[in-house]
Amino acid sequence: MSTLAVYPGSFDPLTNGHVDIIERGARLFDRIIVAILVNAEKAPMFTMAERVDMTRAVFKNHPNVEIDTFDGLLVNYMQRRKANVIVRGLRAVSDFEYEMQMALMNRELAGTVETVFMMPAAKYSFISSRLIKEVFSLGGRVHDLVPELVERRLQEKQGVNL
Ligand SMILES: Nc1ncnc2c1ncn2[C@@H]1O[C@H](COP(=O)(O)OP(=O)(O)OP(=O)(O)O)[C@@H](O)[C@H]1O
Ligand SMILES: [Mg+2]
């Protein structure tokens, strides 16, 4: 039996924490789809197309990593893609309560789908997209926290907004 995993999120933007989880997933499962959620936030920094492009570029040499987008219920998307595993990252206890609720709700909605949690390398465990955007916009250095391409795109965005 082959395992097709889906790693859902808003990825606005992709961080080294996400990259770490995707690489672990790509080693564990036959194939992993990074599924970027449409409308996750009202005002994302990066458009859907920008998030897809950046994520595709970072994983261009990973043949079993696919980048896709989805809207609506995750379990419906999973059914369409015939995927059986949801991958989520756990950074700290603070992620746990929300993630457990989501996992059990998704099990309620689709009993055959399993959620698998993965821990990132400790050095990435404090990173979130929200914090990256906040730190970057205040002039902080995010060099080792996001892929180089994402850092460049953040700089370009800031240039545009000046
Ligand atoms: N640094 C990280 N290490 C491990 N997992 C992570 C990390 N950052 C995010 N994740 C996980 O990735 C998945 C997608 O998360 P999401 O797109 O919300 O990213 P985020 O960084 O939490 O963004 P935001 O700050 O906008 O909520 C979630 O399961 C989340 O727990
Ligand atoms: Mg989050």
Side-chain angles (χ1 to χ4, degrees), residues 77-109:
Y77 172 75
M78 305 267 308
Q79 201 167 33
R80 275 204 308 280
R81 296 302 313 264
K82 299 193 178 5
N84 37 18
V85 176
I86 300 171
V87 169
R88 296 289 286 176
L90 274 187
R91 286 165 286 201
V93 182
S94 51
D95 279 337
F96 181 79
E97 195 171 346
Y98 173 72
E99 291 293 344
M100 185 180 149
Q101 270 192 334
M102 289 290 293
L104 293 177
M105 178 56 88
N106 282 327
R107 178 177 287 164
E108 178 73 24
L109 296 171

PDB file of all heavy atoms in Angstrom, residues 77-109:
ATOM      1  N   TYR A  77     -10.924  17.527   0.251  1.00  0.00           N
ATOM      2  CA  TYR A  77      -9.756  17.579  -0.635  1.00  0.00           C
ATOM      3  C   TYR A  77      -9.004  16.250  -0.595  1.00  0.00           C
ATOM      4  O   TYR A  77      -8.601  15.715  -1.631  1.00  0.00           O
ATOM      5  CB  TYR A  77      -8.845  18.745  -0.203  1.00  0.00           C
ATOM      6  CG  TYR A  77      -7.534  18.760  -0.938  1.00  0.00           C
ATOM      7  CD1 TYR A  77      -7.461  19.182  -2.260  1.00  0.00           C
ATOM      8  CD2 TYR A  77      -6.358  18.320  -0.314  1.00  0.00           C
ATOM      9  CE1 TYR A  77      -6.259  19.173  -2.949  1.00  0.00           C
ATOM     10  CE2 TYR A  77      -5.152  18.309  -0.998  1.00  0.00           C
ATOM     11  CZ  TYR A  77      -5.107  18.735  -2.316  1.00  0.00           C
ATOM     12  OH  TYR A  77      -3.923  18.715  -2.994  1.00  0.00           O
ATOM     13  N   MET A  78      -8.837  15.690   0.612  1.00  0.00           N
ATOM     14  CA  MET A  78      -8.123  14.411   0.777  1.00  0.00           C
ATOM     15  C   MET A  78      -8.815  13.311  -0.030  1.00  0.00           C
ATOM     16  O   MET A  78      -8.170  12.491  -0.669  1.00  0.00           O
ATOM     17  CB  MET A  78      -8.098  13.982   2.245  1.00  0.00           C
ATOM     18  CG  MET A  78      -7.535  15.003   3.202  1.00  0.00           C
ATOM     19  SD  MET A  78      -5.805  14.852   3.547  1.00  0.00           S
ATOM     20  CE  MET A  78      -5.593  13.183   4.012  1.00  0.00           C
ATOM     21  N   GLN A  79     -10.136  13.316   0.048  1.00  0.00           N
ATOM     22  CA  GLN A  79     -10.907  12.297  -0.670  1.00  0.00           C
ATOM     23  C   GLN A  79     -10.687  12.431  -2.181  1.00  0.00           C
ATOM     24  O   GLN A  79     -10.476  11.439  -2.875  1.00  0.00           O
ATOM     25  CB  GLN A  79     -12.385  12.478  -0.328  1.00  0.00           C
ATOM     26  CG  GLN A  79     -13.233  11.265  -0.571  1.00  0.00           C
ATOM     27  CD  GLN A  79     -14.596  11.429   0.077  1.00  0.00           C
ATOM     28  OE1 GLN A  79     -15.126  12.548   0.150  1.00  0.00           O
ATOM     29  NE2 GLN A  79     -15.162  10.320   0.544  1.00  0.00           N
ATOM     30  N   ARG A  80     -10.723  13.675  -2.658  1.00  0.00           N
ATOM     31  CA  ARG A  80     -10.492  13.920  -4.088  1.00  0.00           C
ATOM     32  C   ARG A  80      -9.130  13.419  -4.527  1.00  0.00           C
ATOM     33  O   ARG A  80      -8.968  12.856  -5.597  1.00  0.00           O
ATOM     34  CB  ARG A  80     -10.582  15.428  -4.399  1.00  0.00           C
ATOM     35  CG  ARG A  80     -11.965  15.935  -4.638  1.00  0.00           C
ATOM     36  CD  ARG A  80     -11.973  17.214  -5.497  1.00  0.00           C
ATOM     37  NE  ARG A  80     -11.103  18.281  -5.011  1.00  0.00           N
ATOM     38  CZ  ARG A  80     -11.405  19.119  -4.027  1.00  0.00           C
ATOM     39  NH1 ARG A  80     -12.552  19.001  -3.398  1.00  0.00           N
ATOM     40  NH2 ARG A  80     -10.557  20.065  -3.671  1.00  0.00           N
ATOM     41  N   ARG A  81      -8.106  13.654  -3.666  1.00  0.00           N
ATOM     42  CA  ARG A  81      -6.745  13.282  -4.016  1.00  0.00           C
ATOM     43  C   ARG A  81      -6.417  11.829  -3.648  1.00  0.00           C
ATOM     44  O   ARG A  81      -5.319  11.368  -3.854  1.00  0.00           O
ATOM     45  CB  ARG A  81      -5.745  14.231  -3.321  1.00  0.00           C
ATOM     46  CG  ARG A  81      -5.820  15.682  -3.755  1.00  0.00           C
ATOM     47  CD  ARG A  81      -5.604  15.889  -5.253  1.00  0.00           C
ATOM     48  NE  ARG A  81      -4.471  15.179  -5.796  1.00  0.00           N
ATOM     49  CZ  ARG A  81      -3.247  15.690  -5.984  1.00  0.00           C
ATOM     50  NH1 ARG A  81      -3.013  16.943  -5.689  1.00  0.00           N
ATOM     51  NH2 ARG A  81      -2.282  14.969  -6.489  1.00  0.00           N
ATOM     52  N   LYS A  82      -7.361  11.127  -3.036  1.00  0.00           N
ATOM     53  CA  LYS A  82      -7.162   9.756  -2.545  1.00  0.00           C
ATOM     54  C   LYS A  82      -5.962   9.683  -1.592  1.00  0.00           C
ATOM     55  O   LYS A  82      -5.138   8.764  -1.667  1.00  0.00           O
ATOM     56  CB  LYS A  82      -7.003   8.770  -3.702  1.00  0.00           C
ATOM     57  CG  LYS A  82      -8.234   8.722  -4.606  1.00  0.00           C
ATOM     58  CD  LYS A  82      -8.167   7.537  -5.527  1.00  0.00           C
ATOM     59  CE  LYS A  82      -9.363   7.357  -6.441  1.00  0.00           C
ATOM     60  NZ  LYS A  82     -10.410   8.372  -6.447  1.00  0.00           N
ATOM     61  N   ALA A  83      -5.899  10.650  -0.699  1.00  0.00           N
ATOM     62  CA  ALA A  83      -4.803  10.712   0.274  1.00  0.00           C
ATOM     63  C   ALA A  83      -5.286  10.167   1.615  1.00  0.00           C
ATOM     64  O   ALA A  83      -6.461  10.297   1.956  1.00  0.00           O
ATOM     65  CB  ALA A  83      -4.336  12.155   0.428  1.00  0.00           C
ATOM     66  N   ASN A  84      -4.375   9.525   2.350  1.00  0.00           N
ATOM     67  CA  ASN A  84      -4.798   8.898   3.603  1.00  0.00           C
ATOM     68  C   ASN A  84      -4.136   9.440   4.862  1.00  0.00           C
ATOM     69  O   ASN A  84      -4.486   9.041   5.967  1.00  0.00           O
ATOM     70  CB  ASN A  84      -4.615   7.376   3.525  1.00  0.00           C
ATOM     71  CG  ASN A  84      -3.362   6.980   2.752  1.00  0.00           C
ATOM     72  OD1 ASN A  84      -2.462   7.804   2.556  1.00  0.00           O
ATOM     73  ND2 ASN A  84      -3.294   5.744   2.319  1.00  0.00           N
ATOM     74  N   VAL A  85      -3.184  10.337   4.728  1.00  0.00           N
ATOM     75  CA  VAL A  85      -2.470  10.844   5.910  1.00  0.00           C
ATOM     76  C   VAL A  85      -2.432  12.376   5.883  1.00  0.00           C
ATOM     77  O   VAL A  85      -2.102  12.972   4.857  1.00  0.00           O
ATOM     78  CB  VAL A  85      -1.010  10.313   5.948  1.00  0.00           C
ATOM     79  CG1 VAL A  85      -0.243  10.919   7.124  1.00  0.00           C
ATOM     80  CG2 VAL A  85      -0.988   8.787   6.036  1.00  0.00           C
ATOM     81  N   ILE A  86      -2.768  12.970   7.024  1.00  0.00           N
ATOM     82  CA  ILE A  86      -2.580  14.422   7.197  1.00  0.00           C
ATOM     83  C   ILE A  86      -1.308  14.608   8.016  1.00  0.00           C
ATOM     84  O   ILE A  86      -1.156  13.985   9.073  1.00  0.00           O
ATOM     85  CB  ILE A  86      -3.747  15.069   7.967  1.00  0.00           C
ATOM     86  CG1 ILE A  86      -5.069  14.861   7.245  1.00  0.00           C
ATOM     87  CG2 ILE A  86      -3.477  16.560   8.212  1.00  0.00           C
ATOM     88  CD1 ILE A  86      -6.302  15.283   8.072  1.00  0.00           C
ATOM     89  N   VAL A  87      -0.394  15.409   7.536  1.00  0.00           N
ATOM     90  CA  VAL A  87       0.825  15.722   8.293  1.00  0.00           C
ATOM     91  C   VAL A  87       0.655  17.089   8.938  1.00  0.00           C
ATOM     92  O   VAL A  87       0.230  18.043   8.280  1.00  0.00           O
ATOM     93  CB  VAL A  87       2.059  15.748   7.352  1.00  0.00           C
ATOM     94  CG1 VAL A  87       3.270  16.337   8.069  1.00  0.00           C
ATOM     95  CG2 VAL A  87       2.371  14.347   6.844  1.00  0.00           C
ATOM     96  N   ARG A  88       0.983  17.183  10.224  1.00  0.00           N
ATOM     97  CA  ARG A  88       0.988  18.470  10.902  1.00  0.00           C
ATOM     98  C   ARG A  88       2.275  18.575  11.717  1.00  0.00           C
ATOM     99  O   ARG A  88       2.828  17.573  12.161  1.00  0.00           O
ATOM    100  CB  ARG A  88      -0.223  18.612  11.838  1.00  0.00           C
ATOM    101  CG  ARG A  88      -1.560  18.603  11.124  1.00  0.00           C
ATOM    102  CD  ARG A  88      -1.821  19.840  10.318  1.00  0.00           C
ATOM    103  NE  ARG A  88      -2.139  21.003  11.143  1.00  0.00           N
ATOM    104  CZ  ARG A  88      -2.338  22.215  10.660  1.00  0.00           C
ATOM    105  NH1 ARG A  88      -2.212  22.451   9.362  1.00  0.00           N
ATOM    106  NH2 ARG A  88      -2.635  23.206  11.466  1.00  0.00           N
ATOM    107  N   GLY A  89       2.736  19.792  11.900  1.00  0.00           N
ATOM    108  CA  GLY A  89       3.937  20.011  12.697  1.00  0.00           C
ATOM    109  C   GLY A  89       3.557  20.428  14.100  1.00  0.00           C
ATOM    110  O   GLY A  89       2.586  21.148  14.295  1.00  0.00           O
ATOM    111  N   LEU A  90       4.300  19.931  15.083  1.00  0.00           N
ATOM    112  CA  LEU A  90       4.071  20.344  16.476  1.00  0.00           C
ATOM    113  C   LEU A  90       5.317  21.054  16.982  1.00  0.00           C
ATOM    114  O   LEU A  90       6.388  20.464  17.054  1.00  0.00           O
ATOM    115  CB  LEU A  90       3.819  19.125  17.361  1.00  0.00           C
ATOM    116  CG  LEU A  90       2.416  18.564  17.470  1.00  0.00           C
ATOM    117  CD1 LEU A  90       2.396  17.464  18.530  1.00  0.00           C
ATOM    118  CD2 LEU A  90       1.381  19.628  17.779  1.00  0.00           C
ATOM    119  N   ARG A  91       5.181  22.332  17.305  1.00  0.00           N
ATOM    120  CA  ARG A  91       6.319  23.099  17.794  1.00  0.00           C
ATOM    121  C   ARG A  91       6.440  23.038  19.296  1.00  0.00           C
ATOM    122  O   ARG A  91       7.514  22.928  19.854  1.00  0.00           O
ATOM    123  CB  ARG A  91       6.166  24.565  17.367  1.00  0.00           C
ATOM    124  CG  ARG A  91       6.444  24.775  15.907  1.00  0.00           C
ATOM    125  CD  ARG A  91       5.933  26.108  15.451  1.00  0.00           C
ATOM    126  NE  ARG A  91       4.469  26.063  15.347  1.00  0.00           N
ATOM    127  CZ  ARG A  91       3.763  26.903  14.616  1.00  0.00           C
ATOM    128  NH1 ARG A  91       4.367  27.883  13.967  1.00  0.00           N
ATOM    129  NH2 ARG A  91       2.458  26.787  14.538  1.00  0.00           N
ATOM    130  N   ALA A  92       5.320  23.145  19.962  1.00  0.00           N
ATOM    131  CA  ALA A  92       5.343  23.259  21.427  1.00  0.00           C
ATOM    132  C   ALA A  92       3.993  22.831  21.956  1.00  0.00           C
ATOM    133  O   ALA A  92       3.060  22.582  21.184  1.00  0.00           O
ATOM    134  CB  ALA A  92       5.625  24.705  21.819  1.00  0.00           C
ATOM    135  N   VAL A  93       3.892  22.763  23.269  1.00  0.00           N
ATOM    136  CA  VAL A  93       2.626  22.385  23.890  1.00  0.00           C
ATOM    137  C   VAL A  93       1.514  23.307  23.410  1.00  0.00           C
ATOM    138  O   VAL A  93       0.380  22.890  23.245  1.00  0.00           O
ATOM    139  CB  VAL A  93       2.747  22.450  25.430  1.00  0.00           C
ATOM    140  CG1 VAL A  93       1.443  22.016  26.087  1.00  0.00           C
ATOM    141  CG2 VAL A  93       3.883  21.568  25.894  1.00  0.00           C
ATOM    142  N   SER A  94       1.872  24.565  23.136  1.00  0.00           N
ATOM    143  CA  SER A  94       0.859  25.535  22.710  1.00  0.00           C
ATOM    144  C   SER A  94       0.157  25.121  21.416  1.00  0.00           C
ATOM    145  O   SER A  94      -0.995  25.486  21.194  1.00  0.00           O
ATOM    146  CB  SER A  94       1.489  26.919  22.551  1.00  0.00           C
ATOM    147  OG  SER A  94       2.635  26.810  21.738  1.00  0.00           O
ATOM    148  N   ASP A  95       0.816  24.362  20.553  1.00  0.00           N
ATOM    149  CA  ASP A  95       0.166  23.879  19.330  1.00  0.00           C
ATOM    150  C   ASP A  95      -0.791  22.724  19.624  1.00  0.00           C
ATOM    151  O   ASP A  95      -1.680  22.442  18.833  1.00  0.00           O
ATOM    152  CB  ASP A  95       1.211  23.337  18.325  1.00  0.00           C
ATOM    153  CG  ASP A  95       1.893  24.440  17.531  1.00  0.00           C
ATOM    154  OD1 ASP A  95       1.322  25.535  17.402  1.00  0.00           O
ATOM    155  OD2 ASP A  95       3.012  24.178  17.036  1.00  0.00           O
ATOM    156  N   PHE A  96      -0.560  22.047  20.738  1.00  0.00           N
ATOM    157  CA  PHE A  96      -1.176  20.730  20.935  1.00  0.00           C
ATOM    158  C   PHE A  96      -2.696  20.761  20.989  1.00  0.00           C
ATOM    159  O   PHE A  96      -3.367  19.960  20.336  1.00  0.00           O
ATOM    160  CB  PHE A  96      -0.619  20.052  22.192  1.00  0.00           C
ATOM    161  CG  PHE A  96      -1.210  18.697  22.415  1.00  0.00           C
ATOM    162  CD1 PHE A  96      -0.750  17.595  21.694  1.00  0.00           C
ATOM    163  CD2 PHE A  96      -2.267  18.506  23.300  1.00  0.00           C
ATOM    164  CE1 PHE A  96      -1.315  16.347  21.864  1.00  0.00           C
ATOM    165  CE2 PHE A  96      -2.838  17.256  23.479  1.00  0.00           C
ATOM    166  CZ  PHE A  96      -2.359  16.181  22.763  1.00  0.00           C
ATOM    167  N   GLU A  97      -3.255  21.685  21.772  1.00  0.00           N
ATOM    168  CA  GLU A  97      -4.686  21.641  22.002  1.00  0.00           C
ATOM    169  C   GLU A  97      -5.475  21.837  20.705  1.00  0.00           C
ATOM    170  O   GLU A  97      -6.388  21.073  20.397  1.00  0.00           O
ATOM    171  CB  GLU A  97      -5.082  22.684  23.050  1.00  0.00           C
ATOM    172  CG  GLU A  97      -6.481  22.414  23.562  1.00  0.00           C
ATOM    173  CD  GLU A  97      -6.845  23.273  24.749  1.00  0.00           C
ATOM    174  OE1 GLU A  97      -5.945  23.887  25.345  1.00  0.00           O
ATOM    175  OE2 GLU A  97      -8.046  23.332  25.042  1.00  0.00           O
ATOM    176  N   TYR A  98      -5.085  22.844  19.956  1.00  0.00           N
ATOM    177  CA  TYR A  98      -5.760  23.127  18.691  1.00  0.00           C
ATOM    178  C   TYR A  98      -5.570  21.956  17.720  1.00  0.00           C
ATOM    179  O   TYR A  98      -6.531  21.515  17.062  1.00  0.00           O
ATOM    180  CB  TYR A  98      -5.199  24.417  18.091  1.00  0.00           C
ATOM    181  CG  TYR A  98      -5.713  24.718  16.714  1.00  0.00           C
ATOM    182  CD1 TYR A  98      -7.031  25.134  16.531  1.00  0.00           C
ATOM    183  CD2 TYR A  98      -4.887  24.581  15.600  1.00  0.00           C
ATOM    184  CE1 TYR A  98      -7.505  25.401  15.254  1.00  0.00           C
ATOM    185  CE2 TYR A  98      -5.354  24.849  14.324  1.00  0.00           C
ATOM    186  CZ  TYR A  98      -6.670  25.253  14.156  1.00  0.00           C
ATOM    187  OH  TYR A  98      -7.125  25.512  12.888  1.00  0.00           O
ATOM    188  N   GLU A  99      -4.362  21.447  17.645  1.00  0.00           N
ATOM    189  CA  GLU A  99      -4.066  20.363  16.697  1.00  0.00           C
ATOM    190  C   GLU A  99      -4.846  19.090  17.048  1.00  0.00           C
ATOM    191  O   GLU A  99      -5.297  18.367  16.163  1.00  0.00           O
ATOM    192  CB  GLU A  99      -2.566  20.076  16.666  1.00  0.00           C
ATOM    193  CG  GLU A  99      -1.749  21.196  16.026  1.00  0.00           C
ATOM    194  CD  GLU A  99      -2.013  21.368  14.523  1.00  0.00           C
ATOM    195  OE1 GLU A  99      -2.588  20.455  13.905  1.00  0.00           O
ATOM    196  OE2 GLU A  99      -1.667  22.429  13.993  1.00  0.00           O
ATOM    197  N   MET A 100      -4.975  18.813  18.360  1.00  0.00           N
ATOM    198  CA  MET A 100      -5.702  17.617  18.767  1.00  0.00           C
ATOM    199  C   MET A 100      -7.185  17.742  18.400  1.00  0.00           C
ATOM    200  O   MET A 100      -7.791  16.791  17.888  1.00  0.00           O
ATOM    201  CB  MET A 100      -5.547  17.398  20.268  1.00  0.00           C
ATOM    202  CG  MET A 100      -6.166  16.110  20.732  1.00  0.00           C
ATOM    203  SD  MET A 100      -5.945  15.901  22.479  1.00  0.00           S
ATOM    204  CE  MET A 100      -7.424  15.001  22.842  1.00  0.00           C
ATOM    205  N   GLN A 101      -7.731  18.943  18.618  1.00  0.00           N
ATOM    206  CA  GLN A 101      -9.132  19.175  18.240  1.00  0.00           C
ATOM    207  C   GLN A 101      -9.341  18.941  16.751  1.00  0.00           C
ATOM    208  O   GLN A 101     -10.297  18.289  16.337  1.00  0.00           O
ATOM    209  CB  GLN A 101      -9.503  20.628  18.539  1.00  0.00           C
ATOM    210  CG  GLN A 101     -10.040  20.854  19.913  1.00  0.00           C
ATOM    211  CD  GLN A 101     -10.657  22.256  20.016  1.00  0.00           C
ATOM    212  OE1 GLN A 101     -10.282  23.172  19.275  1.00  0.00           O
ATOM    213  NE2 GLN A 101     -11.572  22.407  20.930  1.00  0.00           N
ATOM    214  N   MET A 102      -8.434  19.510  15.962  1.00  0.00           N
ATOM    215  CA  MET A 102      -8.550  19.379  14.507  1.00  0.00           C
ATOM    216  C   MET A 102      -8.431  17.921  14.079  1.00  0.00           C
ATOM    217  O   MET A 102      -9.180  17.451  13.222  1.00  0.00           O
ATOM    218  CB  MET A 102      -7.434  20.173  13.813  1.00  0.00           C
ATOM    219  CG  MET A 102      -7.580  21.659  13.896  1.00  0.00           C
ATOM    220  SD  MET A 102      -8.948  22.217  12.893  1.00  0.00           S
ATOM    221  CE  MET A 102      -8.289  21.824  11.291  1.00  0.00           C
ATOM    222  N   ALA A 103      -7.479  17.211  14.670  1.00  0.00           N
ATOM    223  CA  ALA A 103      -7.255  15.812  14.292  1.00  0.00           C
ATOM    224  C   ALA A 103      -8.496  14.973  14.616  1.00  0.00           C
ATOM    225  O   ALA A 103      -8.922  14.134  13.809  1.00  0.00           O
ATOM    226  CB  ALA A 103      -6.024  15.256  15.010  1.00  0.00           C
ATOM    227  N   LEU A 104      -9.082  15.217  15.786  1.00  0.00           N
ATOM    228  CA  LEU A 104     -10.252  14.423  16.163  1.00  0.00           C
ATOM    229  C   LEU A 104     -11.474  14.815  15.339  1.00  0.00           C
ATOM    230  O   LEU A 104     -12.292  13.958  14.990  1.00  0.00           O
ATOM    231  CB  LEU A 104     -10.513  14.555  17.671  1.00  0.00           C
ATOM    232  CG  LEU A 104      -9.418  13.916  18.536  1.00  0.00           C
ATOM    233  CD1 LEU A 104      -9.692  14.129  20.015  1.00  0.00           C
ATOM    234  CD2 LEU A 104      -9.246  12.427  18.233  1.00  0.00           C
ATOM    235  N   MET A 105     -11.586  16.089  15.011  1.00  0.00           N
ATOM    236  CA  MET A 105     -12.691  16.520  14.138  1.00  0.00           C
ATOM    237  C   MET A 105     -12.537  15.889  12.759  1.00  0.00           C
ATOM    238  O   MET A 105     -13.511  15.372  12.186  1.00  0.00           O
ATOM    239  CB  MET A 105     -12.728  18.054  14.034  1.00  0.00           C
ATOM    240  CG  MET A 105     -13.815  18.578  13.118  1.00  0.00           C
ATOM    241  SD  MET A 105     -15.477  18.009  13.558  1.00  0.00           S
ATOM    242  CE  MET A 105     -15.957  19.289  14.722  1.00  0.00           C
ATOM    243  N   ASN A 106     -11.323  15.892  12.247  1.00  0.00           N
ATOM    244  CA  ASN A 106     -11.113  15.291  10.921  1.00  0.00           C
ATOM    245  C   ASN A 106     -11.383  13.787  10.958  1.00  0.00           C
ATOM    246  O   ASN A 106     -11.898  13.220   9.991  1.00  0.00           O
ATOM    247  CB  ASN A 106      -9.700  15.593  10.409  1.00  0.00           C
ATOM    248  CG  ASN A 106      -9.599  17.007   9.873  1.00  0.00           C
ATOM    249  OD1 ASN A 106     -10.562  17.544   9.314  1.00  0.00           O
ATOM    250  ND2 ASN A 106      -8.456  17.640  10.066  1.00  0.00           N
ATOM    251  N   ARG A 107     -11.085  13.141  12.079  1.00  0.00           N
ATOM    252  CA  ARG A 107     -11.383  11.703  12.205  1.00  0.00           C
ATOM    253  C   ARG A 107     -12.892  11.475  12.236  1.00  0.00           C
ATOM    254  O   ARG A 107     -13.408  10.512  11.676  1.00  0.00           O
ATOM    255  CB  ARG A 107     -10.725  11.160  13.468  1.00  0.00           C
ATOM    256  CG  ARG A 107     -11.022   9.682  13.684  1.00  0.00           C
ATOM    257  CD  ARG A 107     -10.305   9.143  14.882  1.00  0.00           C
ATOM    258  NE  ARG A 107      -8.866   9.004  14.628  1.00  0.00           N
ATOM    259  CZ  ARG A 107      -7.962   8.842  15.593  1.00  0.00           C
ATOM    260  NH1 ARG A 107      -8.339   8.799  16.855  1.00  0.00           N
ATOM    261  NH2 ARG A 107      -6.696   8.701  15.303  1.00  0.00           N
ATOM    262  N   GLU A 108     -13.587  12.411  12.901  1.00  0.00           N
ATOM    263  CA  GLU A 108     -15.052  12.343  12.950  1.00  0.00           C
ATOM    264  C   GLU A 108     -15.629  12.447  11.525  1.00  0.00           C
ATOM    265  O   GLU A 108     -16.558  11.737  11.168  1.00  0.00           O
ATOM    266  CB  GLU A 108     -15.550  13.506  13.834  1.00  0.00           C
ATOM    267  CG  GLU A 108     -17.043  13.640  13.975  1.00  0.00           C
ATOM    268  CD  GLU A 108     -17.618  12.557  14.874  1.00  0.00           C
ATOM    269  OE1 GLU A 108     -16.860  12.016  15.712  1.00  0.00           O
ATOM    270  OE2 GLU A 108     -18.822  12.240  14.713  1.00  0.00           O
ATOM    271  N   LEU A 109     -15.028  13.337  10.739  1.00  0.00           N
ATOM    272  CA  LEU A 109     -15.532  13.587   9.386  1.00  0.00           C
ATOM    273  C   LEU A 109     -15.112  12.497   8.403  1.00  0.00           C
ATOM    274  O   LEU A 109     -15.816  12.229   7.436  1.00  0.00           O
ATOM    275  CB  LEU A 109     -15.024  14.948   8.882  1.00  0.00           C
ATOM    276  CG  LEU A 109     -15.496  16.185   9.655  1.00  0.00           C
ATOM    277  CD1 LEU A 109     -14.749  17.425   9.187  1.00  0.00           C
ATOM    278  CD2 LEU A 109     -17.004  16.377   9.503  1.00  0.00           C
TER     279      LEU A 109
END
